[in-house]
Amino acid sequence: MSMLTRLHYFNCVVETGSIPKASRIFDVQPSSISRQLSALEKELGVLLLNRTSRNIGLTEAGQIYYQYSRSIASDLDEANRAVNDLQQKPTGNLKVSMTVGFAECCILPLIPAFTAQYPEIKLSLEMTGRVVDLVEENVDIAIRTGRLRDSTLIALKLVDNDFLLCASPDYLANNGLPDSPFNLMDFDCIRYEYSGWRNWYLMCEKSTKLAIKSHLTIRSINGQKQLILNHAGLALMPKWAVKDELENGSLVQILEQHVFSPYESLSSTYAIYSKRELISPKIRVFLDFIKMHID
């Protein structure tokens, strides 16, 4: 029997003045409550209650102990209510770590609408290219591209990256249009300067590394987009980063009959969070909101 249960028994006996009344409230036998009160007194080494055949009264030590016991029980009830509130409504601090490009293109534009809908959630947003440790860095959600290695985490797929070969209409008007993935050496190709993502692959039955001419590298998705918007050459861009530009015609997809990737396999972007029995409402609503609003 826990100490807290004994405290509840003790408080109830004091407040009702009767072990039988307390036993009916807790739906246990009077003998069970009596044994727990005796165990509490034995553990404390002091008599708390004066028992007679007709009534029960507090000793001096019992009166002092009751003041603390009542306060402890009240604080515990308040703590339970606070925790239950967290589980019932989305509230509290939420720390999200994101890759820079995906955050700028897809997540940050959604944040004002999210905070308007969930004003009691306090967001802390980190944009970084490194892989964060969710536990050590107290991160609730990490948004990453690539494979999930840690089996203690859960990955929710947000979107396929779908890399497209893009350029501006002006660049193509001045330099022509490539008619094959294998003549890209005749065009200015902008590399993404990130380990493992610098090369271009043609995805067929097996991935084929392409030979490209590249005098310009940049470690930024938005940086690549600005370069091709200003007619610097071709770039391999995730669809989510150039969707609006393709729709308004400021960028053009090239060789759209082919599938490309900057890596030897196709990739997706995931929301990663710790595996737990109960996912908190603040994490659940953020994941639901982002998943709903990302095309």
Side-chain angles (χ1 to χ4, degrees), residues 31-48:
S31 59
S32 177
I33 289 184
S34 183
R35 283 196 302 271
Q36 295 309 318
L37 293 178
S38 296
L40 178 62
E41 290 175 324
K42 183 177 180 180
E43 188 171 327
L44 294 171
V46 64
L47 187 67
L48 299 174

Side-chain angles (χ1 to χ4, degrees):
M1 187 70 66
S2 72
M3 171 62 81
L4 287 174
T5 301
R6 290 172 182 165
L7 290 183
H8 282 301
Y9 284 176
F10 172 71
N11 291 345
C12 190
V13 168
V14 172
E15 290 159 6
T16 61
S18 165
I19 289 178
K21 289 180 181 178
S23 71
R24 287 193 291 273
I25 291 172
F26 287 102
D27 193 24
V28 296
Q29 292 295 320
S31 59
S32 177
I33 289 184
S34 183
R35 283 196 302 271
Q36 295 309 318
L37 293 178
S38 296
L40 178 62
E41 290 175 324
K42 183 177 180 180
E43 188 171 327
L44 294 171
V46 64
L47 187 67
L48 299 174
L49 298 167
N50 287 316
R51 301 175 179 83
T52 69
S53 58
R54 302 183 64 179
N55 56 37
I56 288 180
L58 286 170
T59 65
E60 182 181 4
Q63 290 175 347
I64 296 172
Y65 192 78
Y66 174 64
Q67 299 303 316
Y68 286 99
S69 176
R70 184 175 60 179
S71 177
I72 291 170
S74 176
D75 288 345
L76 178 62
D77 289 340
E78 183 63 29
N80 287 336
R81 281 193 295 272
V83 171
N84 288 333
D85 284 346
L86 285 175
Q87 287 302 117
Q88 294 299 322
K89 63 181 180 180
T91 187
N93 298 317
L94 181 66
K95 186 174 181 181
V96 184
S97 177
M98 304 169 286
T99 56
V100 178
F102 193 79
E104 291 177 338
C105 293
C106 299
I107 303 297
L108 295 185
L110 301 177
I111 295 303
F114 177 81
T115 55
Q117 185 171 341
Y118 300 103
E120 294 188 38
I121 295 178
K122 296 180 180 179
L123 280 175
S124 174
L125 305 176
E126 176 191 45
M127 297 192 300
T128 178
R130 66 186 180 86
V131 177
V132 300
D133 187 302
L134 273 69
V135 176
E136 288 189 4
E137 300 181 50
N138 197 30
V139 172
D140 296 295
I141 302 169
I143 296 179
R144 301 174 182 164
T145 293
R147 301 179 182 86
L148 180 64
R149 296 188 180 94
D150 190 340
S151 62
T152 66
L153 303 176
I154 297 175
L156 172 68
K157 182 178 173 180
L158 297 177
V159 64
D160 290 320
N161 290 327
D162 291 336
F163 282 90
L164 312 177
L165 190 58
C166 300
S168 70
D170 284 359
Y171 178 85
L172 297 175
N174 292 327
N175 296 273
L177 189 68
D179 56 15
S180 167
F182 299 103
N183 69 349
L184 294 176
M185 286 297 295
D186 299 329
F187 297 85
D188 302 295
C189 298
I190 302 167
R191 290 182 187 267
Y192 183 40
E193 189 180 3
Y194 180 75
S195 177
W197 296 80
R198 293 169 53 87
N199 297 312
W200 293 10
Y201 291 87
L202 177 65
M203 309 305 289
C204 299
E205 292 183 2
K206 64 176 182 177
S207 59
T208 302
K209 184 179 176 180
L210 298 171
I212 62 175
K213 179 179 72 174
S214 177
H215 302 297
L216 184 57
T217 61
I218 185 169
R219 191 168 184 161
S220 166
I221 293 292
N222 276 328
Q224 284 179 294
K225 182 163 69 172
Q226 291 303 314
L227 287 169
I228 58 175
L229 281 169
N230 288 280
H231 329 306
L234 316 180
L236 206 54
M237 302 291 297
K239 184 178 180 180
W240 45 257
V242 292
K243 180 171 61 71
D244 291 342
E245 290 75 14
L246 292 174
E247 289 178 357
N248 65 33
S250 57
L251 291 178
V252 176
Q253 183 181 354
I254 305 163
L255 299 172
E256 58 188 72
Q257 69 272 32
H258 298 286
V259 178
F260 298 94
S261 174
Y263 190 65
E264 294 180 11
S265 62
L266 301 177
S267 64
S268 300
T269 297
Y270 299 86
I272 312 295
Y273 57 99
S274 296
K275 185 183 295 183
R276 60 191 73 179
E277 187 173 341
L278 293 175
I279 180 173
S280 68
K282 62 183 179 181
I283 294 177
R284 185 181 65 250
V285 297
F286 185 85
L287 294 175
D288 290 345
F289 188 92
I290 296 302
K291 181 68 174 173
M292 179 185 302
H293 290 87
I294 289 180
D295 294 332

